[in-house]
Amino acid sequence: MKEALISLLEQSLSALEASGTLPQAPEVTPQVDHTRDASHGDLATNLAMVLAKRAGMAPRALAEAIVSGIPENTLIARAEIAGPGFINFFLNQASQVEIIGKVLAAGPAFGTSRAGAGRKVQVEFVSANPTGPLHVGHGRGAAIGDSLCRLLTATGWDVQREFYYNDAGQQINNLALSVQARARGLGPDDETWPTDGYRGTYIIDLATAYVAGATVAAADRSITALGDIDNLEAIRDFSVAWLRREQDLDLKAFGVTFDNYFLESSLYESGAVERTVATLEQAGHSYEQDGALWLRTSDFGDDKDRVMRKKEGHYTYFVPDVAYHLDKWQRGYERVINEQGADHHSTITRVRAGLQGLDQGIPEGWPEYVLHQMVTVMRDGEEVKLSKRAGSYVTLRDLIDWVGKDATRFFLAARSASSQLTFDVDLALAQSNENPVFYIQYAHARICSVKRKAQAHDANWTPQSGLEHLDQLVEPEAIALLLLLAKYPEVIEGATRQLEPHGVANYLRELAAAFHGFYNAHKMVDESQPDQSLARLALAEATRQVIANGLELLGVSAPESM
RNA sequence: CCGCCCGUAGCACAACCGGAUAGUGCAACGGCCUUCUAAGCCGUAGGUUGCAGGUUCGAAUCCUGCCGGGCGGGCCA
């Protein structure tokens, strides 16, 4: 529809150029947008205002000329000049209802595209270290990252989901020591409790399972505990697997899966870290000073140089990060998106600087980053800071237990990642009848209920048969719904391009509101009005399909009854 | 001190990367169920978009400077 209008406008422009009204101008693609206000028509263009200066005409006069140059067509009922020089298009009813047939024909595929077809993208997200349960920040990362993957898949990309973690560092040592201490019956208040030990009660469960010789299977590893309290290495291996499994269970309950788990330790074992450092040295971007090896990151936008190898001989943390991203590049991902907490934003400059220093022709802006800001959890008007199991933070599991998977996913994905988020448990839970998630799901369930009623009346009353009666749809509420349905593919395209899944959430709320409005104003199924009922059934089904498609992108269920 | 993010109605957030009268939900007030799910709908009220300049036909959006909040800045990860 949009394309058709653009084409009409281009024809008008060339006619104006031919007649000398407009000077020969460089190609401009007219910008056509959906309007916010129904009194502004269905679609509008700012073309006249953009070209006014170049044409030496007043915007409104130019708009008049453009409108008069538009060829005869069957799409537009009328075009109006408004405001400072907008051209507002009012589509005729037959053009407006076309969208229903398109939605019903495409079904679950409506809104998808082939924009990224044949191209590989990797999305790395969550990437929690196996030292404790996932917290709400990981939950936000999981909700946003997973929705990004779904959006990219829906627009044709070949997506790989990756989870990166460190299974060997000092944190893991602390973990093993903590489990060992618990296995010996010690608690955080005892004098011999390890410094920087993990104090959460999950360590007790872990220690108990280890002593009992339990077997655990995580998505990427499985192990049987030796039960030997003195074998720190065995405790470490078991603990990592146990916590990985716990994280997997939380992610599964959240509807999130991964294609690959990548271990930081593998970068040392394979020699990738050594090779990366050697390559950086050969490329001449490093130097020795004070007994340490430095990388000249300031050549690549960092505000100062960074140490790669400490005096003692160990590498600093960003070196494996660089090696890891080189590995991603060598795996052939022209696009890599890292979703992570904004508290790690300083690594962006270093990783990119390291990659530039390798002289491998990696683009400057590679990889891309989506950073999410902090989440605070409010309940009973107070900030919740502690979880029973983890001790020092609120876990993703806590949220799922409190308000359910659907509400948790929706709330965590419905806000712009760059804004801090207040998760109001009272809103998601105590006032559940006003919950935006249920509001959208309710619209979906209502439509299913309407369909059931129509079918009960007459088995031939299907949405498909309503396609022949779409001329019945003339009410303002119906038109508003149609316009929103037509917008959906652009919402998906925009959310994917900007890597902002929250646009989908906002759209769905609007769509649900438009349906509820129609439902309350008009009877959907009226036995005495078969043509009208069938048309409304088709509209309702198209709405249901789009709601279901959108919720799927957010990982939220679309129930048939509530 | 430096870097990144944010500042929009009482609260929580949108606003199609410069468009028209800045929207949505909670909270407040007033209406709508003998009828397809009232987990719904309709209406009312609520704003100098932190402040001050600048750019232009046009600014919440872009630029500069302040103010306020968050995060980060180590041979820690």
Side-chain angles (χ1 to χ4, degrees), chain A residues 355 413 447:
Chain A
L355 292 170
I447 294 170

Side-chain angles (χ1 to χ4, degrees), chain A residues 5 34 46 67 77 117 202 286 319 336 358 375 477 481 541 557:
Chain A
L5 274 180
H34 287 276
N46 61 356
V67 168
Y202 64 91
S286 66
V319 176
V336 162
L358 290 166
V375 182
E477 293 88 350
L481 210 37
E541 171 61 10
S557 66

Side-chain angles (χ1 to χ4, degrees), chain A residues 9-302:
Chain A
L9 286 167
E10 281 170 342
Q11 290 176 52
S12 172
L13 285 182
S14 31
L16 291 178
E17 285 172 19
S19 68
T21 312
L22 264 181
Q24 286 289 336
E27 280 301 301
V28 281
T29 305
Q31 187 186 334
V32 175
D33 290 312
H34 287 276
T35 57
R36 202 182 300 174
D37 189 327
S39 69
H40 298 148
D42 301 323
L43 294 157
T45 181
N46 61 356
L47 188 59
M49 290 181 290
V50 174
L51 289 180
K53 186 169 282 182
R54 209 181 299 164
M57 294 174 71
R60 287 189 67 109
L62 180 56
E64 294 283 358
I66 293 173
V67 168
S68 65
I70 292 177
E72 287 290 316
N73 65 84
T74 56
L75 301 176
I76 305 172
R78 65 179 198 281
E80 288 180 356
I81 316 298
F86 288 101
I87 303 174
N88 294 333
F89 298 104
F90 294 78
L91 301 178
N92 59 42
Q93 196 267 357
S95 305
Q96 288 173 326
V97 297
E98 271 178 17
I99 189 65
I100 295 179
K102 289 181 186 166
V103 176
L104 296 192
F110 180 72
T112 64
S113 74
R114 305 281 300 153
R119 301 175 67 188
K120 287 170 69 176
V121 58
Q122 188 214 53
V123 181
E124 183 209 327
F125 60 113
V126 183
S127 291
N129 281 340
T131 55
L134 300 174
H135 54 67
V136 291
H138 293 130
R140 193 176 192 189
I144 293 172
D146 183 61
S147 287
L148 285 175
C149 290
R150 293 172 189 238
L151 281 165
L152 288 162
T153 302
T155 48
W157 289 82
D158 178 9
V159 182
Q160 196 227 24
R161 304 147 168 264
E162 186 150 303
F163 187 116
Y164 173 79
Y165 69 94
N166 182 359
D167 63 329
Q170 185 54 40
Q171 312 273 22
I172 302 295
N173 264 341
N174 290 340
L175 172 70
L177 288 169
S178 308
V179 172
Q180 188 179 50
R182 282 292 191 184
R184 289 179 171 144
L186 297 173
D189 296 330
D190 289 305
E191 279 186 23
T192 50
W193 182 260
T195 2
D196 300 328
Y198 291 90
R199 307 164 76 92
T201 60
Y202 64 91
I203 299 292
I204 301 175
D205 301 337
L206 215 178
T208 307
Y210 177 75
V211 171
T215 298
V216 291
D220 65 317
R221 57 170 73 206
S222 72
I223 191 170
T224 298
L226 295 185
D228 177 0
I229 296 182
D230 296 319
N231 189 337
L232 199 59
E233 195 172 333
I235 293 177
R236 191 191 66 196
D237 292 345
F238 179 78
S239 299
V240 167
W242 195 91
L243 282 164
R244 279 286 321 114
R245 177 173 165 278
E246 169 151 345
Q247 293 179 354
D248 284 343
L249 291 174
D250 288 352
L251 290 167
K252 190 181 174 193
F254 208 44
V256 176
T257 58
F258 288 89
D259 301 313
N260 192 39
Y261 294 81
F262 198 103
L263 302 186
E264 182 180 330
S265 62
S266 73
L267 294 166
Y268 289 98
E269 287 164 12
S270 68
V273 172
E274 294 285 353
R275 281 198 302 277
T276 299
V277 173
T279 307
L280 287 167
E281 285 188 282
Q282 281 158 22
H285 297 297
S286 66
Y287 58 92
E288 299 227 12
Q289 185 181 309
D290 302 331
L293 181 65
W294 295 68
L295 182 65
R296 228 182 285 279
T297 53
S298 59
D299 285 353
F300 305 104
D302 206 350

Side-chain angles (χ1 to χ4, degrees), chain A residues 432-549:
Chain A
S432 64
N433 56 334
E434 306 294 351
N435 188 310
V437 189
F438 294 154
Y439 181 83
I440 297 165
Q441 291 180 320
Y442 182 45
H444 186 271
R446 250 187 172 173
I447 294 170
C448 292
S449 170
V450 166
K451 277 165 57 184
R452 284 193 294 270
K453 174 168 169 147
Q455 292 277 301
H457 166 69
D458 183 338
N460 290 323
W461 279 31
T462 62
Q464 208 62 34
S465 53
L467 290 176
E468 291 155 34
H469 305 286
L470 296 182
D471 58 324
Q472 298 283 320
L473 298 174
V474 292
E475 305 82 0
E477 293 88 350
I479 303 302
L481 210 37
L482 290 167
L483 294 177
L484 275 173
L485 293 174
K487 250 174 86 169
Y488 179 71
E490 291 164 43
V491 171
I492 301 310
E493 189 278 325
T496 309
R497 178 170 41 80
Q498 300 174 60
L499 303 178
E500 290 182 344
H502 74 274
V504 178
N506 290 327
Y507 167 82
L508 288 176
R509 197 201 304 234
E510 267 184 73
L511 182 62
F515 176 75
H516 287 310
F518 183 89
Y519 179 94
N520 269 77
H522 307 287
K523 196 164 170 59
M524 305 296 295
V525 179
D526 183 347
E527 288 83 348
S528 65
Q529 302 280 344
D531 290 359
Q532 188 185 69
S533 297
L534 286 170
R536 289 176 178 177
L537 208 51
L539 173 61
E541 171 61 10
T543 306
R544 187 205 64 75
Q545 185 70 62
V546 172
I547 291 176
N549 293 2

Side-chain angles (χ1 to χ4, degrees), chain A residues 271-388:
Chain A
V273 172
E274 294 285 353
R275 281 198 302 277
T276 299
V277 173
T279 307
L280 287 167
E281 285 188 282
Q282 281 158 22
H285 297 297
S286 66
Y287 58 92
E288 299 227 12
Q289 185 181 309
D290 302 331
L293 181 65
W294 295 68
L295 182 65
R296 228 182 285 279
T297 53
S298 59
D299 285 353
F300 305 104
D302 206 350
D303 53 355
K304 53 186 162 188
D305 295 339
R306 306 287 170 178
V307 169
M308 287 197 288
R309 191 170 54 223
K310 297 182 257 184
K311 226 182 314 191
E312 311 86 84
H314 286 103
Y315 293 109
T316 56
Y317 69 92
F318 91 93
V319 176
D321 273 358
V322 174
Y324 174 43
H325 283 87
L326 175 61
D327 184 87
K328 290 185 183 184
W329 176 257
Q330 288 169 338
R331 277 188 272 163
Y333 292 105
E334 61 167 294
R335 248 192 119 178
V336 162
I337 299 165
N338 292 334
E339 204 291 346
Q340 47 186 241
D343 52 342
H344 292 112
H345 82 264
S346 61
T347 67
I348 297 176
T349 313
R350 286 175 217 180
V351 167
R352 285 182 178 162
L355 292 170
Q356 290 306 300
L358 290 166
D359 291 341
Q360 307 274 312
I362 299 174
E364 274 182 44
W366 190 97
E368 300 164 61
Y369 284 85
V370 174
L371 301 180
H372 64 261
Q373 298 288 328
M374 284 183 53
V375 182
T376 53
V377 179
M378 299 290 287
R379 190 175 196 178
D380 300 328
E382 289 178 14
E383 182 177 352
V384 188
K385 287 188 165 169
L386 306 180
S387 122
K388 225 175 156 186

